[in-house]
Amino acid sequence: MNIRTEIIAVGTELLLGQIANTNAQWISQQLALNGMSVYYHGVVGDNIDRVSEAFNQAQKRSNIVIVTGGLGPTEDDLTREAFQLLTNMEIIEHESSINKIKKYFQQQQMKMTPNNRKQAHVFKQAKILDNHVGMAPGMIVEYEDTKWIFLPGVPREMKAMVSEEVIPYLQQTTGVKQIIQSTMLKFIGIGESVLEDEIHDLIVNQTNPTIAPLALNEGVAIRLTAKADTTEFANQLIEQMKTEILNRVGDYFYGVDEDTLASKVITLLKKHNHSIGAAESLTGGMFTDEMIAIPGASTVCRGGLVCYQPLVKQNVLGVSPETITNYGTVSEQCASEMATKICDMMDADIGISFTGVAGPNEEEGKPIGTVFIGIHDKSGNSIVRQFQLPGDRQEIRRKTILKGYELLFQHLK
Protein backbone atom coordinates (compact mmCIF):
# COMPACT_ATOMS: atom_id res chain seq x y z
CA MET A 1 0.00 0.00 0.00
CA ASN A 2 1.36 3.42 -0.97
CA ILE A 3 0.68 5.55 2.09
CA ARG A 4 0.20 9.23 1.30
CA THR A 5 0.05 11.32 4.46
CA GLU A 6 -1.08 14.94 4.62
CA ILE A 7 -0.98 17.42 7.49
CA ILE A 8 -3.42 20.35 7.62
CA ALA A 9 -3.11 23.10 10.21
CA VAL A 10 -6.23 25.19 10.83
CA GLY A 11 -5.85 28.73 12.15
CA THR A 12 -5.79 32.24 10.74
CA GLU A 13 -3.02 33.14 13.19
CA LEU A 14 -0.71 30.83 11.22
CA LEU A 15 -1.46 32.60 7.95
CA LEU A 16 -0.88 35.99 9.56
CA GLY A 17 2.53 34.86 10.75
CA GLN A 18 1.63 35.47 14.39
CA ILE A 19 2.79 31.96 15.27
CA ALA A 20 4.87 29.43 13.34
CA ASN A 21 3.44 26.10 12.21
CA THR A 22 5.76 24.02 14.38
CA ASN A 23 3.09 21.33 14.80
CA ALA A 24 3.44 20.12 11.20
CA GLN A 25 7.23 20.05 11.48
CA TRP A 26 7.13 17.99 14.67
CA ILE A 27 4.49 15.57 13.40
CA SER A 28 6.47 15.03 10.18
CA GLN A 29 9.56 14.20 12.22
CA GLN A 30 7.68 11.67 14.33
CA LEU A 31 6.13 10.03 11.27
CA ALA A 32 9.52 9.83 9.55
CA LEU A 33 10.99 8.07 12.57
CA ASN A 34 8.29 5.47 12.06
CA GLY A 35 8.71 5.02 8.31
CA MET A 36 5.78 7.13 7.12
CA SER A 37 6.30 9.78 4.46
CA VAL A 38 4.40 13.06 4.45
CA TYR A 39 3.39 14.20 0.97
CA TYR A 40 1.67 17.51 1.75
CA HIS A 41 1.57 20.29 4.35
CA GLY A 42 -1.34 22.73 4.31
CA VAL A 43 -2.43 25.75 6.33
CA VAL A 44 -5.93 27.17 6.11
CA GLY A 45 -7.61 30.03 7.95
CA ASP A 46 -10.68 29.95 10.18
CA ASN A 47 -13.24 30.06 7.36
CA ILE A 48 -15.61 27.14 6.96
CA ASP A 49 -15.70 27.26 3.16
CA ARG A 50 -11.91 27.26 2.86
CA VAL A 51 -11.45 24.59 5.51
CA SER A 52 -14.04 22.45 3.76
CA GLU A 53 -12.30 22.99 0.43
CA ALA A 54 -8.94 21.94 1.96
CA PHE A 55 -10.56 18.81 3.40
CA ASN A 56 -12.12 17.91 0.04
CA GLN A 57 -8.75 18.17 -1.68
CA ALA A 58 -7.04 16.08 1.00
CA GLN A 59 -9.71 13.40 0.77
CA LYS A 60 -9.02 12.99 -2.96
CA ARG A 61 -5.24 12.68 -2.76
CA SER A 62 -4.26 11.30 0.66
CA ASN A 63 -5.11 8.21 2.66
CA ILE A 64 -3.99 9.58 6.02
CA VAL A 65 -4.92 13.16 6.91
CA ILE A 66 -3.81 14.71 10.20
CA VAL A 67 -5.58 17.95 11.17
CA THR A 68 -4.40 20.23 13.99
CA GLY A 69 -6.41 23.09 15.42
CA GLY A 70 -9.99 24.28 15.21
CA LEU A 71 -11.32 22.07 18.04
CA GLY A 72 -11.72 24.83 20.64
CA PRO A 73 -14.82 26.49 22.11
CA THR A 74 -15.09 29.66 20.02
CA GLU A 75 -17.09 30.53 16.92
CA ASP A 76 -14.00 30.39 14.69
CA ASP A 77 -13.18 26.79 15.70
CA LEU A 78 -14.69 25.17 12.63
CA THR A 79 -12.83 21.92 12.03
CA ARG A 80 -15.70 19.64 13.06
CA GLU A 81 -18.27 21.58 11.05
CA ALA A 82 -16.11 21.61 7.91
CA PHE A 83 -15.57 17.85 8.08
CA GLN A 84 -19.27 17.33 8.63
CA LEU A 85 -19.95 19.19 5.36
CA LEU A 86 -17.72 16.65 3.60
CA THR A 87 -19.02 13.50 5.27
CA ASN A 88 -22.44 14.21 6.84
CA MET A 89 -21.16 12.46 9.96
CA GLU A 90 -23.24 12.97 13.08
CA ILE A 91 -21.72 15.08 15.86
CA ILE A 92 -22.53 14.18 19.46
CA GLU A 93 -21.43 15.32 22.90
CA HIS A 94 -18.82 12.99 24.39
CA GLU A 95 -19.93 12.25 27.93
CA SER A 96 -16.59 11.69 29.65
CA SER A 97 -15.12 14.77 27.96
CA ILE A 98 -17.94 17.09 29.03
CA ASN A 99 -17.72 15.73 32.57
CA LYS A 100 -14.00 16.45 32.59
CA ILE A 101 -14.61 20.01 31.36
CA LYS A 102 -17.30 20.63 34.01
CA LYS A 103 -15.00 19.29 36.72
CA TYR A 104 -12.19 21.59 35.64
CA PHE A 105 -14.35 24.70 35.93
CA GLN A 106 -15.66 23.56 39.30
CA GLN A 107 -12.15 23.00 40.63
CA GLN A 108 -11.03 26.42 39.36
CA GLN A 109 -14.17 28.00 40.85
CA MET A 110 -14.92 29.54 37.48
CA LYS A 111 -18.20 29.88 35.62
CA MET A 112 -18.40 27.53 32.64
CA THR A 113 -19.83 29.38 29.65
CA PRO A 114 -22.10 27.41 27.26
CA ASN A 115 -19.60 27.54 24.40
CA ASN A 116 -17.19 25.35 26.36
CA ARG A 117 -19.50 22.39 25.72
CA LYS A 118 -18.35 22.57 22.09
CA GLN A 119 -14.97 21.18 23.08
CA ALA A 120 -16.66 17.89 23.98
CA HIS A 121 -18.28 17.53 20.53
CA VAL A 122 -17.07 14.49 18.60
CA PHE A 123 -18.15 12.43 15.59
CA LYS A 124 -20.39 9.59 16.63
CA GLN A 125 -18.27 6.82 15.05
CA ALA A 126 -14.89 8.32 16.04
CA LYS A 127 -12.18 6.65 18.05
CA ILE A 128 -11.63 9.16 20.87
CA LEU A 129 -8.13 10.29 21.81
CA ASP A 130 -8.07 11.36 25.44
CA ASN A 131 -6.59 14.79 26.15
CA HIS A 132 -4.56 14.36 29.34
CA VAL A 133 -3.21 17.91 29.38
CA GLY A 134 -6.11 19.97 27.98
CA MET A 135 -9.81 20.06 27.24
CA ALA A 136 -10.78 19.03 23.71
CA PRO A 137 -10.33 15.34 22.88
CA GLY A 138 -8.77 14.22 19.63
CA MET A 139 -10.51 11.91 17.16
CA ILE A 140 -9.78 9.29 14.53
CA VAL A 141 -12.40 8.51 11.91
CA GLU A 142 -12.35 6.66 8.61
CA TYR A 143 -14.14 7.98 5.56
CA GLU A 144 -14.00 6.26 2.18
CA ASP A 145 -10.70 4.48 2.95
CA THR A 146 -9.03 7.63 4.28
CA LYS A 147 -8.02 7.84 7.92
CA TRP A 148 -8.70 11.28 9.42
CA ILE A 149 -6.95 12.22 12.66
CA PHE A 150 -8.09 15.39 14.44
CA LEU A 151 -5.80 16.90 17.07
CA PRO A 152 -5.81 20.07 19.20
CA GLY A 153 -3.63 22.92 17.99
CA VAL A 154 -1.95 23.45 21.38
CA PRO A 155 1.48 21.83 20.88
CA ARG A 156 1.78 20.06 24.24
CA GLU A 157 -1.72 18.59 23.89
CA MET A 158 -1.06 17.51 20.30
CA LYS A 159 2.34 15.97 21.10
CA ALA A 160 0.95 13.89 23.94
CA MET A 161 -1.76 12.44 21.70
CA VAL A 162 0.62 11.71 18.83
CA SER A 163 3.15 9.96 21.05
CA GLU A 164 0.68 8.02 23.18
CA GLU A 165 -2.04 7.10 20.70
CA VAL A 166 -1.59 8.23 17.09
CA ILE A 167 1.78 6.59 16.35
CA PRO A 168 0.76 3.23 17.88
CA TYR A 169 -2.54 3.37 15.96
CA LEU A 170 -0.81 4.06 12.64
CA GLN A 171 1.80 1.37 13.24
CA GLN A 172 -0.95 -1.15 13.86
CA THR A 173 -3.28 -0.16 11.04
CA THR A 174 -0.74 0.57 8.29
CA GLY A 175 1.66 -2.27 8.97
CA VAL A 176 4.61 0.06 8.35
CA LYS A 177 7.62 -1.20 10.26
CA GLN A 178 10.41 0.76 8.61
CA ILE A 179 11.99 3.93 9.96
CA ILE A 180 13.19 6.94 8.01
CA GLN A 181 16.50 8.46 9.07
CA SER A 182 17.95 11.72 7.75
CA THR A 183 21.30 13.46 8.08
CA MET A 184 22.34 16.87 6.78
CA LEU A 185 25.91 17.23 5.48
CA LYS A 186 27.00 20.88 5.55
CA PHE A 187 29.53 22.56 3.25
CA ILE A 188 31.07 26.02 2.95
CA GLY A 189 33.09 27.64 0.19
CA ILE A 190 31.34 25.79 -2.63
CA GLY A 191 28.20 26.82 -4.50
CA GLU A 192 25.07 24.68 -4.69
CA SER A 193 25.38 24.18 -8.46
CA VAL A 194 29.05 23.16 -8.25
CA LEU A 195 28.33 20.80 -5.37
CA GLU A 196 25.50 19.19 -7.31
CA ASP A 197 27.70 18.83 -10.38
CA GLU A 198 30.41 17.06 -8.36
CA ILE A 199 27.97 14.37 -7.22
CA HIS A 200 25.65 14.42 -10.24
CA ASP A 201 26.00 10.70 -10.99
CA LEU A 202 25.18 9.81 -7.38
CA ILE A 203 22.01 11.95 -7.52
CA VAL A 204 20.90 10.47 -10.85
CA ASN A 205 21.39 6.89 -9.62
CA GLN A 206 20.11 7.41 -6.08
CA THR A 207 17.93 4.75 -4.50
CA ASN A 208 18.38 4.34 -0.76
CA PRO A 209 19.47 6.69 0.70
CA THR A 210 18.07 9.56 -1.31
CA ILE A 211 20.25 12.64 -1.93
CA ALA A 212 18.95 16.21 -1.91
CA PRO A 213 21.19 19.31 -2.30
CA LEU A 214 19.92 22.33 -0.36
CA ALA A 215 20.88 25.97 0.14
CA LEU A 216 21.44 27.15 3.72
CA ASN A 217 22.14 30.45 5.42
CA GLU A 218 25.55 28.99 6.22
CA GLY A 219 26.69 27.55 2.91
CA VAL A 220 25.01 24.58 1.26
CA ALA A 221 23.98 21.10 2.35
CA ILE A 222 23.19 17.61 1.18
CA ARG A 223 20.35 15.83 2.93
CA LEU A 224 20.70 12.05 2.99
CA THR A 225 17.54 10.10 3.84
CA ALA A 226 17.53 6.34 4.33
CA LYS A 227 14.72 3.85 4.90
CA ALA A 228 15.45 0.66 6.80
CA ASP A 229 14.03 -1.82 9.28
CA THR A 230 16.32 -0.56 12.03
CA THR A 231 17.98 2.71 12.96
CA GLU A 232 21.36 0.98 12.86
CA PHE A 233 20.96 -0.18 9.26
CA ALA A 234 19.62 3.21 8.17
CA ASN A 235 22.66 4.90 9.72
CA GLN A 236 24.92 2.38 7.99
CA LEU A 237 23.40 3.25 4.59
CA ILE A 238 23.85 6.96 5.32
CA GLU A 239 27.47 6.53 6.42
CA GLN A 240 28.34 4.63 3.25
CA MET A 241 26.93 7.40 1.06
CA LYS A 242 28.48 10.10 3.25
CA THR A 243 31.91 8.52 2.74
CA GLU A 244 31.41 8.47 -1.04
CA ILE A 245 30.36 12.13 -1.10
CA LEU A 246 33.18 13.33 1.17
CA ASN A 247 35.72 11.53 -0.99
CA ARG A 248 34.74 14.04 -3.68
CA VAL A 249 33.92 17.27 -1.85
CA GLY A 250 35.29 16.71 1.64
CA ASP A 251 37.50 19.81 1.46
CA TYR A 252 34.37 21.95 1.83
CA PHE A 253 32.67 19.87 4.53
CA TYR A 254 32.29 21.43 7.97
CA GLY A 255 29.64 19.52 9.88
CA VAL A 256 26.34 17.69 10.15
CA ASP A 257 22.81 18.45 11.32
CA GLU A 258 22.94 21.07 14.11
CA ASP A 259 26.60 21.97 13.63
CA THR A 260 27.32 25.63 12.87
CA LEU A 261 30.44 27.23 11.46
CA ALA A 262 30.97 29.09 14.73
CA SER A 263 30.78 25.88 16.76
CA LYS A 264 33.19 24.12 14.40
CA VAL A 265 35.65 27.03 14.61
CA ILE A 266 35.55 26.82 18.41
CA THR A 267 36.17 23.07 18.20
CA LEU A 268 39.20 23.62 15.97
CA LEU A 269 40.55 26.38 18.21
CA LYS A 270 40.32 24.03 21.18
CA LYS A 271 41.94 21.23 19.20
CA HIS A 272 44.95 23.42 18.39
CA ASN A 273 44.93 25.04 21.86
CA HIS A 274 44.53 28.45 20.22
CA SER A 275 42.90 31.63 21.49
CA ILE A 276 41.35 34.39 19.38
CA GLY A 277 40.60 38.10 19.60
CA ALA A 278 38.51 40.21 17.23
CA ALA A 279 38.72 43.81 16.03
CA GLU A 280 35.32 44.74 14.62
CA SER A 281 34.39 47.84 12.69
CA LEU A 282 31.32 47.41 10.45
CA THR A 283 30.26 44.21 12.30
CA GLY A 284 30.01 46.11 15.59
CA GLY A 285 30.62 43.12 17.88
CA MET A 286 28.44 40.60 16.01
CA PHE A 287 31.32 38.17 15.46
CA THR A 288 32.26 38.07 19.13
CA ASP A 289 28.62 37.91 20.20
CA GLU A 290 28.00 34.85 18.03
CA MET A 291 31.11 33.14 19.35
CA ILE A 292 30.44 33.69 23.04
CA ALA A 293 26.84 32.48 22.64
CA ILE A 294 28.29 28.98 22.26
CA PRO A 295 28.99 27.07 25.50
CA GLY A 296 32.70 26.63 26.08
CA ALA A 297 33.73 29.71 24.09
CA SER A 298 35.45 31.19 27.15
CA THR A 299 38.31 28.71 26.74
CA VAL A 300 39.28 30.17 23.35
CA CYS A 301 37.76 33.65 23.01
CA ARG A 302 39.89 36.43 24.50
CA GLY A 303 37.31 39.08 23.60
CA GLY A 304 36.50 41.68 20.99
CA LEU A 305 37.04 45.38 20.41
CA VAL A 306 34.44 47.44 18.54
CA CYS A 307 36.59 50.05 16.80
CA TYR A 308 34.01 51.78 14.64
CA GLN A 309 35.45 55.28 14.31
CA PRO A 310 38.93 55.95 12.83
CA LEU A 311 40.08 57.57 16.08
CA VAL A 312 39.27 54.37 18.01
CA LYS A 313 41.17 52.30 15.46
CA GLN A 314 44.12 54.64 15.93
CA ASN A 315 44.07 55.59 19.63
CA VAL A 316 42.71 52.40 21.21
CA LEU A 317 43.68 49.61 18.83
CA GLY A 318 46.90 51.25 17.69
CA VAL A 319 46.49 51.34 13.92
CA SER A 320 49.06 53.82 12.63
CA PRO A 321 47.88 57.26 11.48
CA GLU A 322 49.88 56.76 8.26
CA THR A 323 47.86 53.66 7.36
CA ILE A 324 44.59 55.50 7.84
CA THR A 325 45.80 58.61 6.01
CA ASN A 326 47.41 56.81 3.07
CA TYR A 327 45.01 53.90 2.56
CA GLY A 328 41.84 54.67 4.51
CA THR A 329 40.03 52.55 7.08
CA VAL A 330 38.32 50.48 4.39
CA SER A 331 41.44 48.92 2.96
CA GLU A 332 43.58 45.81 2.88
CA GLN A 333 46.30 47.59 4.81
CA CYS A 334 43.97 48.70 7.61
CA ALA A 335 42.40 45.25 7.93
CA SER A 336 45.85 43.66 8.12
CA GLU A 337 47.04 46.05 10.82
CA MET A 338 43.81 45.67 12.80
CA ALA A 339 44.24 41.88 12.87
CA THR A 340 47.87 42.16 13.98
CA LYS A 341 47.16 44.76 16.66
CA ILE A 342 44.22 42.85 18.20
CA CYS A 343 46.33 39.69 18.28
CA ASP A 344 49.02 41.55 20.23
CA MET A 345 46.64 43.54 22.43
CA MET A 346 44.76 40.47 23.64
CA ASP A 347 47.78 38.17 23.71
CA ALA A 348 45.82 35.83 21.44
CA ASP A 349 47.12 33.17 19.08
CA ILE A 350 44.90 34.51 16.30
CA GLY A 351 43.51 37.95 15.56
CA ILE A 352 40.67 38.60 13.13
CA SER A 353 39.51 41.97 11.83
CA PHE A 354 36.46 43.28 9.98
CA THR A 355 36.23 46.61 8.16
CA GLY A 356 34.08 47.75 5.27
CA VAL A 357 31.05 49.63 4.01
CA ALA A 358 27.63 48.37 5.09
CA GLY A 359 25.73 51.43 3.87
CA PRO A 360 23.59 53.38 3.44
CA ASN A 361 26.26 55.46 1.64
CA GLU A 362 29.62 54.89 0.04
CA GLU A 363 32.70 55.54 2.18
CA GLU A 364 36.20 56.54 1.15
CA GLY A 365 35.20 56.06 -2.47
CA LYS A 366 34.33 52.40 -1.81
CA PRO A 367 30.89 51.11 -2.86
CA ILE A 368 28.40 49.65 -0.41
CA GLY A 369 29.21 45.98 0.26
CA THR A 370 33.00 46.39 0.12
CA VAL A 371 34.44 44.29 2.95
CA PHE A 372 37.96 43.45 4.12
CA ILE A 373 38.63 40.62 6.57
CA GLY A 374 42.08 40.12 8.04
CA ILE A 375 43.57 37.18 9.95
CA HIS A 376 46.92 37.21 11.74
CA ASP A 377 48.46 34.51 13.93
CA LYS A 378 51.42 34.44 16.28
CA SER A 379 53.42 32.39 13.79
CA GLY A 380 53.49 35.47 11.60
CA ASN A 381 50.98 34.26 9.02
CA SER A 382 48.69 37.02 7.77
CA ILE A 383 45.97 37.06 5.15
CA VAL A 384 43.47 39.67 4.04
CA ARG A 385 40.51 38.91 1.81
CA GLN A 386 38.36 41.45 0.01
CA PHE A 387 34.69 40.76 -0.74
CA GLN A 388 31.89 42.57 -2.50
CA LEU A 389 28.77 41.44 -0.65
CA PRO A 390 25.19 42.10 -1.81
CA GLY A 391 22.21 43.05 0.33
CA ASP A 392 21.04 45.75 2.68
CA ARG A 393 23.00 46.98 5.68
CA GLN A 394 22.10 44.10 7.99
CA GLU A 395 22.55 41.45 5.29
CA ILE A 396 26.03 42.74 4.48
CA ARG A 397 27.01 42.65 8.16
CA ARG A 398 25.61 39.14 8.58
CA LYS A 399 27.37 37.86 5.45
CA THR A 400 30.61 39.43 6.65
CA ILE A 401 30.44 37.40 9.87
CA LEU A 402 29.80 34.25 7.88
CA LYS A 403 32.80 34.96 5.64
CA GLY A 404 34.93 35.52 8.74
CA TYR A 405 34.02 32.13 10.15
CA GLU A 406 34.59 30.54 6.75
CA LEU A 407 38.11 32.01 6.53
CA LEU A 408 38.90 30.92 10.09
CA PHE A 409 37.63 27.42 9.40
CA GLN A 410 39.88 27.08 6.35
CA HIS A 411 42.82 28.66 8.20
CA LEU A 412 42.49 26.31 11.18
CA LYS A 413 42.03 23.21 9.04
Side-chain angles (χ1 to χ4, degrees), residues 4-45:
R4 299 179 304 280
T5 304
E6 180 163 350
I7 301 172
I8 301 174
V10 179
T12 300
E13 67 276 9
L14 296 167
L15 294 175
L16 292 175
Q18 294 170 338
I19 63 171
N21 186 17
T22 57
N23 282 354
Q25 179 189 31
W26 187 85
I27 294 170
S28 288
Q29 291 169 345
Q30 302 311 303
L31 293 174
L33 290 173
N34 290 276
M36 286 169 267
S37 300
V38 175
Y39 280 50
Y40 307 100
H41 278 192
V43 178
V44 61

Side-chain angles (χ1 to χ4, degrees), residues 80-148:
R80 303 176 192 84
E81 291 78 0
F83 190 67
Q84 189 178 46
L85 287 178
L86 173 67
T87 63
N88 291 316
M89 286 186 181
E90 182 181 354
I91 295 175
I92 62 171
E93 186 173 88
H94 187 238
E95 184 177 357
S96 62
S97 293
I98 191 61
N99 290 338
K100 176 184 175 180
I101 293 169
K102 288 178 179 178
K103 183 178 179 180
Y104 170 81
F105 280 97
Q106 289 170 356
Q107 290 174 338
Q108 299 299 315
Q109 297 183 350
M110 296 167 58
K111 179 183 177 181
M112 177 180 157
T113 56
N115 60 353
N116 277 287
R117 302 189 75 97
K118 184 178 178 181
Q119 294 185 91
H121 289 181
V122 299
F123 297 110
K124 186 175 182 179
Q125 61 265 58
K127 169 182 169 63
I128 305 303
L129 306 177
D130 291 330
N131 191 340
H132 300 302
V133 292
M135 297 282 194
M139 295 176 281
I140 301 176
V141 296
E142 291 198 34
Y143 178 69
E144 295 182 355
D145 297 325
T146 297
K147 295 175 174 59
W148 285 80

Side-chain angles (χ1 to χ4, degrees), residues 275-279 287 300-304 339 342-343 346 348-353:
S275 58
I276 188 169
F287 173 88
V300 296
C301 183
R302 286 277 198 263
I342 199 68
C343 189
M346 295 194 172
D349 296 291
I350 297 174
I352 186 169
S353 66

Side-chain angles (χ1 to χ4, degrees), residues 171-236:
Q171 287 175 331
Q172 181 180 4
T173 57
T174 64
V176 173
K177 300 298 183 182
Q178 284 189 316
I179 61 98
I180 300 175
Q181 192 83 352
S182 288
T183 294
M184 195 86 76
L185 310 181
K186 296 183 175 181
F187 302 85
I188 197 71
I190 183 173
E192 185 179 6
S193 59
V194 177
L195 178 63
E196 184 173 343
D197 185 65
E198 290 288 340
I199 61 170
H200 179 71
D201 60 310
L202 299 178
I203 295 174
V204 170
N205 297 308
Q206 64 179 296
T207 52
N208 188 20
T210 58
I211 307 167
L214 305 166
L216 302 176
N217 288 331
E218 291 192 348
V220 294
I222 296 171
R223 186 184 63 231
L224 301 178
T225 304
K227 281 188 176 184
D229 293 332
T230 65
T231 300
E232 291 75 15
F233 187 46
N235 286 332
Q236 182 181 333

